[in-house]
Amino acid sequence: MKKFNFRKVLDGLTAASPVGSSGGGSGSGAGGSVHPGGTAGAAGTPREEIQETLTSDYFQICKTVRHGFPYLPTALAFDPVQKILAIGTRTGAIRILGRPGVDCYCQHESGAAVLQLQFLINEGALVSACADDALHLWNLRQKRPAILHSLKFNRERITYCHLPFQSKWLYVGTERGNTHIVNIESFILSGYVIMWNKAIELSTKTHPGPVVHLSDSPRDEGKLLIGYENGTIVFWDLRSKRADLRAYYDEAIHSVAWHHEGKQFMCSHSDGSLTLWNLKSPNRPFQTTIPHGKVQRDGKKPESCKPILKVEYKTCKNSEPFVVFSGGLSYDKPCRRPSLTIMHGKAITVLEMDHPIVDFLTLCETPYPNEFQEPYAVVVLLEKDLIVVDLTQTNFPIFENPYPIDIHESPVTCTEYFADCPPDLIPVLYSVGAKHKKQGYSNKEWPISGGAWNLGAQTYPEIIITGHADGSVKFWDASAITLQMLYKLKTSKVFEKQKVGEGKTTAEIVEEDPFAVQMMYWCPESRIFCVAGVSAYVIVYRFSKHEVNTEIASLEVRLQSEVEDIITPEPETNPPFPDASSQLPSLKSLSGSTNTVACEGTMKDSIPCLSVKARPVRMPPGYQADLVIQLVWVDGEPPQQITSLAVNSAYGLVAFGNCNGLAVVDFMQKTVLLSMGTLDLYGSSDPYQRQPRSPRKSRQFAAGLTELSDSPVSLELERCKSPTSENRENSFSRSRSSSVSSIDRDSKEAITALFFMESFARKNDSAVSSCLWVGTGLGMVIILSLNLPASDDLRHSEPVVVSPSGTVLTLKGAVLTFACLDCMGTLTHQPYEVWRDPHSADDGDKTRKRKLVMHSPSSSQDMGDHQFAVICSEKQAKVFSLPSQTCLYVHNITETSFLLRADVVTLCNSVCLACFCANGHIMTLSLPSLRPLLDMNYLPVTDMRIARTFCFTNEGQALYLSSPTEIQRLTYSQEMCDNLQDMLGDLFTPVETPEAQNRGFLKGLFGGSGQAFDREELFGEATAGKASRSLAQHIPGSGGIEGVRGAAGGVIGDLTRARIALDERGQKLGELDERTASMMASAEAFSKHAHEVMLKYKDKKWYQF
C-alpha cells in the first residue's frame, strides 16, 4: 500500500502530483486524473487548509461483545449461588450469561469442542473439559475471563468430570474406564487412581467401557459412584481403595442421579428405561420403568423406547420428587419432536421442543447435595434455543427469555448499524413492537440473575437492523453494548401467499426463500424505510402510530440493458433521456396487467415474480407499506437481483439498480421517472465509447455463457439465488472489476452505489442543486440532475424531471460509497423530510406543508462556493473538489485484494473513511486528505457471511455475523477500547454461601461419616504420591497478572491487577501459615517423642543400653 500525504492543497491552484497509477479514462470530467491540476471552474481564490483533528492515536481495534445464541452448543453448567449460566460449544467457545447485560464470550485457543463445564460454586471459577483431552481452569473474577491453568492428558481421553461442592479435588473419568483426580488449586494430577480392572470384579472378562458418570454419595463424601457405559455401576470406597458394591444391568447407562439421602439412585438406559437402585440390595433394581413404553397385554415387559440420555432426580420437602429426563420416546412415533419429560408423582408431562435437546439442568434452591433439593426451574439447552421451564406452576410455563438469542429465528441475510441516531426512535419503535408480545409466560422473574452490570459512560442511542431469509426485518436497541429487540416487520405480508403448485414463477429465479431481504435503506430522521428483496422488488415503508386499512400501491418496472427495449414515445428519435412529460404516460402503462404474455405461448414477459395483495390490507401501527415496485420478466428472461438502493424523503424519490440498469421512482406520485440500461445513462459521455447491442446478439451471447458454465444452471439463475443458499455462501455475487471477463465488461455494468445529495452537478454550476450520484461496477460515477417542482404545493402534481448532467468521474474498481463534505470539511447530511405521521388524526387535509431540512448541519447552509465529494471504490478512494471536479486526493487502498465495505463515519467530532478489505484488513483514512490512520490485519474472511454482513457506523463501532446465530460487535476507537472495561458486566459478585441445614443429632450420629472425610490426606502427594509425568502435562495459563494486563485498561485494570496481586499474596501467606503450622506440629511431635525417649532411659546405667 502506498502512502500519500498532501498538505496545503488549494482548490483552484496546481497541486503536487501523487505517486502511483490511476484507473482513470478519458471522461468528460477530470475523473481518474492523478495530476489534479487546472483551475477551478467557479472560483480561483485560495482556500484555507482544513485542519484534520484525527490521528492514528485515536484508533485501536478490539472486540466488544457478542450477541445471539451460542453456535453449535455442546455443554451446560450453572452456579446456583452466583446464579450464572455457562454454555460451551463445538468451536471451543464459552458463553457466560447472568442478568440482562451480563453476557461474556471467551474462546479456547485450540478451538476444540467443549465436552463438559463445571463451576467452582461461588468461587468465581469454571473448569472446562475439551475434546482435545485438556482441562482448563478459567478465572471469572475479572470482566474478561482468562485461563489460570491447563492440564493436557496424553494417553487417555476424557469422558466425564465431577467436582463435589466445596471440594478442591476434581474427579476425571476416561475412555479407558479409569478415574483420575486433579487438584484444582495447583492443577496437578494426584497419584490416586481408580483403575477399571480394580473397580470391576476379577471374574469379569469384558471391559466395562468408558466412564459415563461420577458422583460422590450425598451421605458419605468418601464413597464415589462410578457408572460405566456397558451397565456396570461401582460404589467405590475412597479410603479403603476397594469397591463396596457392584451392580449390573443389561442395558447401557447414559446417566445416574442420586436421591438426596444417599440411600438410592436412579439410572437412565439406552432402551428408554429408568432403574431405581437401593444400596442395601444392589443385585437388581427395586424399580424398573419405561415411562413412554406401551404396556403389553400379556403382562410382558413394555416395549423398548429411544434412549433416555439424561435423568435428574430432585426431592421436595412438601411434595413428591421430580424426575426430569430427555429422550425416551416410543419408536412407533417417528415424527414426534424432541421432548423433555417431567414426572411429578403420578403426573407425567411431556414438553415438546422445536430443536434437539443438547443438555438440561434442574435449578434447585440449595447447593448442598444432601438436603431436600426443592427444584424451581429446568434450563433446557437446545441446538438453536435456550428455554427455562418454571417447575413451581402446575402447567410448567416457560420464562420469557431476556437475551437476544432469536437473532437466527430466520437466517440473517443483511445487517445495518446506526450509532448516535435520534433519541426518540428507540421508545417509539419499542412502543409499536411491545404490542406484539406473546402471552402465557411465567410471571416469575428470570432465574439466571447473577453478575452486575451498569450503563457505563456511553449514552448515545444505537440501533441494529437485521434482514432475514423469511422476509422479516428486526430492529434492535444496541445501546451500551447490550441488545434488545424493539420491533419486527414482516415484509412478506404485502404479497399473496403462494399456493402449493403455483410457485413456479418465483421458483424459476429463486430456489428458496422468495421473500429474503437483500438490501435495506433507512433514514432515521424521516423514518422512511426501504427494503430490496431477492425476488427483484423494492418496498417503501412509512412509519405511523395509527392502524390503517388500505390497499397497497404497486408499480412494475421493465429494466433491461438493450437500448431498443427502453420504452420511449418516438422510436425513431430514441433519445437516452426523454423529457418527463412524454415519458410519464408511457411508463405508467408498465403498471398495467400482470399477465401480459408475449406471442410465444411459453415466453414470459412483463410478469413480476410475486403477486402484491390486491385487496385492502390491515396494517398495524409501525412500518406500513407505502409502495411496492417490482421488476418484471423481459422476453422470457427473469429480472436480475437489485444491487444498489437509495431513498430520499425530501425529494420523495427511491432509486435502485441492478446489472442491467437504473430505475428512479417517485414514491409520492407513485410514478416511474426513469428505467434505463446502464450504457444509456452515459449518453455521449461514455468513456469506453461502447455501442448498444441488439436483442438478437444479446440472446446469442447469453447462450454462449450458458454453454461455458459447468452446471446446467444459467447465469441469470445463478445470480438470482437466495442469499441463504449455499452458492451465495461460497461465491461472491457482486460483480467485481478485477474478476469480470473482457466479454462481460462490454455487456453488463451493474449499478453498485447510489447517493442523493445537494451538490454541484456540472463544472460551471454556481449553486448546489438536487442530484443523484450513480456508481457502477466499472468504477464510473455518473451524476444525474433532479429537477423538482419549485414549491412544495406542486410536489404532488408537477412531474419530477431526471436528466443527465454530462459529468462522469472514474475510479479503479466497483464504486462502493459516496459522501459529501462542506468547505470546512464537515460531513453534510443528505436532505430529509422531518417525520410526521401520515395517518395522524389532526391531519385532516393531506396538503399540510412538509418540513424539509436541506442542509445539515446548519453551517453547511453557507457552504460557500465549493464542497468535497468523497468516493470510494473497491480499489481506491478519491476526493474531488466541486464544482471544479478537480481530483484533490487519491489513495490506492489495495492492489491485490478488494474492499467489501466502505463507510464515511464520524468519530470524536470529526470524520473519516472506514474500510474493510477481503484480505482481512480494517483501515481508516482521514478526510479529506485520505491519510492512512489505521491498517490492521484483523478479521480473515473465512466465509461469505462476514463479507455480506460487515458494516461500520459512527463513534468507532462496527459489527458482523460471526456465525449463523451470533453478531460480533467491535470497535476501532481507542477511547472505547480504554473504556470497555467499565462497560462490561461483572461475572462474579460477592455472595455469602448459604449455610447447610441443621442435620439434627440423630442424623449426624447415624447418617454416615460425610463430615470426617479428609480428601487432602487421601489424595495429597504425601499419601498418594505423584502421578506419572507422561500421563498429563500441566500448562500455566495467562489468567494471572499477564492476562489482566492484556484484558484491562485504565483505573479498573490497575485495581484488578492490585486485587489479584493481593489475592496471590494472600494465597502465599496462607500457604506460609500452613507450612509454619505443620512445622510447629512436627516440632511438637519431635519434642514429645524426645521427652518420652528421655524418660524411658532416664534411670538406666550406660551398660544397660
Side-chain angles (χ1 to χ4, degrees):
M1 184 183 291
K2 300 182 179 71
K3 290 193 175 183
F4 300 96
N5 196 345
F6 289 87
R7 285 289 175 208
K8 310 225 178 229
V9 177
L10 306 175
D11 184 17
L13 300 179
T14 306
S17 164
V19 186
S21 61
S22 152
S26 54
S28 62
S33 172
V34 199
H35 302 277
T39 55
T45 52
R47 319 281 185 219
E48 286 185 19
E49 181 189 341
I50 291 172
Q51 292 295 321
E52 294 178 1
T53 55
L54 290 179
T55 64
S56 56
D57 297 337
Y58 282 81
F59 297 92
Q60 175 63 44
I61 295 182
C62 70
K63 290 179 181 175
T64 53
V65 68
R66 185 172 289 211
H67 302 296
F69 182 75
Y71 184 54
L72 302 174
T74 52
L76 185 65
F78 183 71
D79 185 325
V81 180
Q82 286 288 320
K83 296 200 182 311
I84 56 173
L85 187 81
I87 299 172
T89 75
R90 203 182 300 169
T91 57
I94 298 175
R95 281 283 287 283
I96 302 166
L97 302 167
R99 68 176 68 245
V102 177
D103 184 343
C104 177
Y105 165 82
C106 32
Q107 174 75 42
H108 292 93
E109 281 185 19
S110 66
V114 178
L115 296 179
Q116 204 178 343
L117 295 169
Q118 290 263 301
F119 276 104
L120 278 66
I121 293 172
N122 207 25
E123 294 289 335
L126 175 74
V127 174
S128 59
C130 294
D132 60 350
D133 307 306
L135 296 171
H136 307 277
L137 178 65
W138 293 84
N139 175 18
L140 307 184
R141 291 186 180 228
Q142 55 196 60
K143 290 191 173 185
R144 292 217 150 168
I147 292 174
L148 291 166
H149 300 282
S150 297
L151 189 67
K152 178 88 166 68
F153 280 73
N154 297 323
R155 297 195 309 230
E156 298 197 49
R157 309 221 63 181
I158 298 169
T159 55
Y160 195 86
C161 298
H162 170 64
L163 179 67
F165 179 45
Q166 294 181 324
S167 164
K168 67 173 186 179
W169 297 95
L170 175 76
Y171 301 113
V172 182
T174 69
E175 197 173 44
R176 290 187 181 179
N178 302 326
T179 302
H180 300 277
I181 297 162
V182 177
N183 184 321
I184 288 295
E185 290 174 355
S186 62
F187 239 58
I188 292 171
L189 268 182
S190 164
Y192 192 115
V193 185
I194 305 169
M195 304 298 285
W196 68 270
N197 53 355
K198 299 280 177 62
I200 64 170
E201 281 185 312
L202 294 172
S203 58
T204 309
K205 294 179 181 176
T206 55
H207 190 279
V211 174
V212 294
H213 178 82
L214 292 167
S215 61
D216 52 335
S217 164
R219 196 178 185 200
D220 184 353
E221 293 172 347
K223 303 285 176 67
L224 185 69
L225 190 73
I226 308 170
Y228 295 96
E229 192 180 61
N230 74 345
T232 302
I233 299 156
V234 175
F235 196 48
W236 183 264
D237 188 329
L238 292 162
R239 297 182 198 83
S240 62
K241 300 185 182 179
R242 62 181 181 81
D244 263 12
L245 62 89
R246 297 180 181 92
Y248 300 95
Y249 194 68
D250 53 6
E251 291 290 342
I253 291 176
H254 284 283
S255 71
V256 183
W258 279 102
H259 186 281
H260 81 274
E261 290 178 351
K263 294 175 184 175
Q264 58 189 45
F265 57 88
M266 184 178 285
C267 300
S268 72
H269 300 277
S270 56
D271 64 343
S273 65
L274 296 172
T275 55
L276 198 58
W277 301 76
N278 199 314
L279 293 180
K280 290 181 179 175
S281 53
N283 296 331
R284 61 188 180 86
F286 77 85
Q287 187 182 322
T288 303
T289 55
I290 300 182
H292 294 298
K294 283 185 180 175
V295 181
Q296 306 289 356
R297 289 182 182 175
D298 51 5
K300 288 182 184 174
K301 180 183 169 186
E303 62 178 26
S304 294
C305 291
K306 294 174 184 175
I308 294 178
L309 301 176
K310 183 175 181 179
V311 65
E312 294 210 336
Y313 186 20
K314 302 296 180 184
T315 52
C316 305
K317 200 168 191 175
N318 300 318
S319 71
E320 296 283 328
F322 279 89
V323 175
V324 185
F325 63 86
S326 60
L329 291 178
S330 167
Y331 279 108
D332 65 351
K333 292 181 181 173
C335 297
R336 281 190 73 169
R337 295 191 291 177
S339 66
L340 185 82
T341 304
I342 301 171
M343 297 168 67
H344 188 217
K346 291 183 180 178
I348 297 180
T349 306
V350 179
L351 304 177
E352 291 194 338
M353 304 294 167
D354 292 331
H355 310 284
I357 296 172
V358 175
D359 199 358
F360 73 89
L361 286 172
T362 310
L363 310 188
C364 300
E365 297 289 356
T366 176
Y368 295 93
N370 56 359
E371 297 176 356
F372 280 105
Q373 297 297 285
E374 305 296 349
Y376 60 89
V378 181
V379 179
V380 190
L381 177 64
L382 308 176
E383 274 186 8
K384 293 185 178 179
D385 203 357
L386 177 77
I387 66 165
V388 183
V389 181
D390 185 354
L391 291 181
T392 61
Q393 297 179 46
T394 50
N395 59 337
F396 303 131
I398 64 168
F399 289 87
E400 186 170 9
N401 197 320
Y403 309 133
I405 59 169
D406 57 347
I407 291 170
H408 63 288
E409 188 178 17
S410 171
V412 177
T413 52
C414 55
T415 57
E416 292 295 337
Y417 191 4
F418 299 86
D420 210 6
C421 47
D424 59 332
L425 278 174
I426 288 174
V428 160
L429 286 167
Y430 184 78
S431 67
V432 292
K435 290 167 183 161
H436 307 302
K437 295 269 177 175
K438 292 178 185 173
Q439 303 299 314
Y441 288 112
S442 169
N443 52 14
K444 298 268 178 74
E445 283 192 14
W446 181 252
I448 304 160
S449 56
W453 180 77
N454 58 1
L455 202 57
Q458 184 183 315
T459 52
Y460 54 82
E462 297 171 69
I463 290 177
I464 291 170
I465 309 178
T466 53
H468 299 263
D470 64 352
S472 61
V473 174
K474 292 180 181 178
F475 291 76
W476 305 83
D477 176 7
S479 311
I481 68 167
T482 61
L483 196 70
Q484 182 184 7
M485 193 165 94
L486 295 169
Y487 173 68
K488 181 177 177 180
L489 171 67
K490 294 180 179 175
T491 64
S492 59
K493 287 198 167 181
V494 304
F495 299 107
E496 295 286 359
K497 283 184 182 173
Q498 289 179 297
K499 293 173 186 172
V500 180
E502 282 191 10
K504 289 284 180 192
T505 310
T506 306
E508 287 181 34
I509 65 155
V510 180
E511 288 180 341
E512 57 196 14
D513 305 320
F515 307 114
V517 177
Q518 199 166 11
M519 305 185 86
M520 301 179 292
Y521 193 101
W522 190 43
C523 174
E525 288 80 11
S526 66
R527 302 187 191 173
I528 291 274
F529 181 64
C530 199
V531 296
V534 75
S535 299
Y537 61 82
V538 170
I539 311 173
V540 181
Y541 286 91
R542 289 181 184 269
F543 187 85
S544 174
K545 294 180 181 178
H546 303 279
E547 182 179 311
V548 290
N549 207 326
T550 182
E551 286 190 13
I552 301 166
S554 67
L555 288 173
E556 288 166 16
V557 176
R558 191 180 177 93
L559 195 57
Q560 163 175 16
S561 53
E562 286 82 25
V563 74
E564 287 86 353
D565 291 328
I566 301 298
I567 298 173
T568 51
E570 296 173 356
E572 60 273 7
T573 56
N574 207 7
F577 279 84
D579 66 82
S581 57
S582 61
Q583 188 171 351
L584 281 172
S586 62
L587 283 171
K588 277 181 181 173
S589 64
L590 286 178
S591 54
S593 167
T594 59
N595 299 316
T596 322
V597 179
C599 52
E600 300 103 330
T602 55
M603 185 181 286
K604 292 183 179 177
D605 191 59
S606 303
I607 302 175
C609 299
L610 300 168
S611 302
V612 178
K613 287 178 180 174
R615 62 190 182 281
V617 178
R618 187 187 74 83
M619 299 184 189
Y623 273 106
Q624 298 167 349
D626 189 52
L627 177 64
V628 181
I629 308 154
Q630 290 181 283
L631 294 179
V632 294
W633 288 64
V634 178
D635 298 334
E637 295 289 329
Q640 302 298 294
Q641 283 186 352
I642 291 161
T643 54
S644 56
L645 175 68
V647 191
N648 191 279
S649 55
Y651 302 162
L653 302 180
V654 56
F656 57 94
N658 62 11
C659 61
N660 283 336
L662 171 72
V664 181
V665 172
D666 181 340
F667 63 80
M668 293 178 72
Q669 295 187 28
K670 311 284 190 289
T671 53
V672 181
L673 302 179
L674 180 76
S675 166
M676 189 169 284
T678 314
L679 217 56
D680 307 307
L681 292 172
Y682 293 100
S684 59
S685 306
D686 183 9
Y688 292 115
Q689 298 299 312
R690 292 163 291 187
Q691 294 301 315
R693 293 167 295 117
S694 71
R696 189 173 48 80
K697 286 181 184 173
S698 158
R699 277 191 278 276
Q700 287 173 347
F701 172 67
L705 267 183
T706 312
E707 286 161 22
L708 290 170
S709 173
D710 291 334
S711 64
V713 185
S714 74
L715 187 70
E716 281 73 20
L717 275 114
E718 196 66 35
R719 275 204 194 89
C720 290
K721 280 185 178 171
S722 157
T724 53
S725 66
E726 283 303 309
N727 290 59
R728 180 66 185 246
E729 286 288 328
N730 300 322
S731 65
F732 195 59
S733 64
R734 180 165 60 78
S735 65
R736 302 193 312 273
S737 59
S738 55
S739 63
V740 176
S741 68
S742 57
I743 310 172
D744 200 22
R745 186 183 286 260
D746 290 336
S747 60
K748 299 279 186 185
E749 184 176 3
I751 307 292
T752 55
L754 294 164
F755 185 67
F756 287 103
M757 195 60 216
E758 291 289 294
S759 180
F760 298 95
R762 299 170 185 83
K763 273 191 178 181
N764 54 359
D765 283 2
S766 57
V768 294
S769 59
S770 304
C771 297
L772 172 61
W773 291 62
V774 181
T776 77
L778 297 185
M780 312 304 291
V781 176
I782 306 158
I783 303 178
L784 304 181
S785 289
L786 307 173
N787 191 351
L788 297 157
S791 72
D792 193 53
D793 301 335
L794 303 172
R795 179 64 186 85
H796 282 276
S797 55
E798 290 288 313
V800 177
V801 180
V802 183
S803 58
S805 67
T807 300
V808 178
L809 308 174
T810 60
L811 288 87
K812 278 196 292 186
V815 179
L816 294 181
T817 194
F818 297 103
C820 195
L821 309 180
D822 64 15
C823 57
M824 305 303 293
T826 308
L827 184 67
T828 54
H829 198 289
Q830 293 186 49
Y832 63 90
E833 176 192 357
V834 177
W835 177 79
R836 56 173 184 158
D837 198 322
H839 306 297
S840 162
D842 59 341
D843 187 19
D845 58 327
K846 290 283 176 187
T847 56
R848 191 177 68 169
K849 201 156 189 177
R850 301 191 304 149
K851 186 180 177 185
L852 304 182
V853 178
M854 301 304 283
H855 304 284
S856 176
S858 54
S859 63
S860 303
Q861 202 155 358
D862 319 312
M863 64 168 55
D865 49 10
H866 80 293
Q867 62 181 190
F868 300 101
V870 181
I871 310 172
C872 185
S873 76
E874 60 185 7
K875 292 285 185 182
Q876 65 177 187
K878 285 185 178 182
V879 174
F880 292 90
S881 174
L882 299 178
S884 68
Q885 296 177 14
T886 307
C887 179
L888 296 180
Y889 305 100
V890 61
H891 182 76
N892 290 319
I893 297 169
T894 175
E895 296 292 340
T896 54
S897 187
F898 57 94
L899 293 188
L900 294 167
R901 180 84 185 210
D903 290 292
V904 175
V905 293
T906 56
L907 176 71
C908 301
N909 297 317
S910 193
V911 63
C912 66
L913 174 66
C915 309
F916 175 51
C917 194
N919 60 14
H921 284 250
I922 291 175
M923 294 163 275
T924 59
L925 304 171
S926 71
L927 288 176
S929 68
L930 299 178
R931 283 179 299 110
L933 298 171
L934 170 79
D935 184 354
M936 189 180 285
N937 187 2
Y938 189 72
L939 181 68
V941 183
T942 48
D943 56 45
M944 283 309 303
R945 189 189 314 106
I946 297 172
R948 202 173 62 238
T949 58
F950 194 100
C951 51
F952 295 100
T953 187
N954 299 329
E955 307 304 331
Q957 303 229 54
L959 68 78
Y960 62 94
L961 229 69
S962 56
S963 75
T965 62
E966 293 166 290
I967 288 175
Q968 177 67 58
R969 288 163 72 179
L970 53 99
T971 181
Y972 49 96
S973 155
Q974 180 70 59
E975 183 187 6
M976 190 167 175
C977 287
D978 293 341
N979 296 333
L980 185 60
Q981 206 66 14
D982 300 338
M983 298 165 71
L984 295 171
D986 286 296
L987 296 172
F988 179 80
T989 50
V991 180
E992 286 288 325
T993 303
E995 288 186 15
Q997 291 173 6
N998 188 359
R999 303 182 74 209
F1001 174 72
L1002 290 172
K1003 267 198 175 173
L1005 197 62
F1006 302 113
S1009 53
Q1011 306 306 314
F1013 177 59
D1014 186 0
R1015 294 187 179 92
E1016 184 68 45
E1017 184 186 334
L1018 201 57
F1019 304 144
E1021 197 176 306
T1023 311
K1026 287 186 178 179
S1028 166
R1029 283 192 178 182
S1030 61
L1031 186 59
Q1033 173 192 358
H1034 176 258
I1035 306 160
S1038 59
I1041 296 296
E1042 296 80 9
V1044 176
R1045 195 175 291 135
V1051 180
I1052 292 291
D1054 296 336
L1055 287 171
T1056 311
R1057 285 196 281 275
R1059 193 176 71 211
I1060 286 193
L1062 283 170
D1063 285 351
E1064 290 178 355
R1065 185 166 172 263
Q1067 193 178 335
K1068 285 172 184 166
L1069 285 170
E1071 288 170 5
L1072 189 64
D1073 277 353
E1074 286 172 19
R1075 229 175 283 146
T1076 309
S1078 68
M1079 285 171 69
M1080 284 175 68
S1082 64
E1084 274 181 36
F1086 180 74
S1087 164
K1088 188 180 175 186
H1089 188 59
H1091 186 65
E1092 285 171 358
V1093 171
M1094 185 267 289
L1095 289 175
K1096 184 177 178 183
Y1097 297 109
K1098 181 182 173 187
D1099 299 324
K1100 293 193 177 183
K1101 303 295 181 188
W1102 64 270
Y1103 52 80
Q1104 291 175 311
F1105 287 114

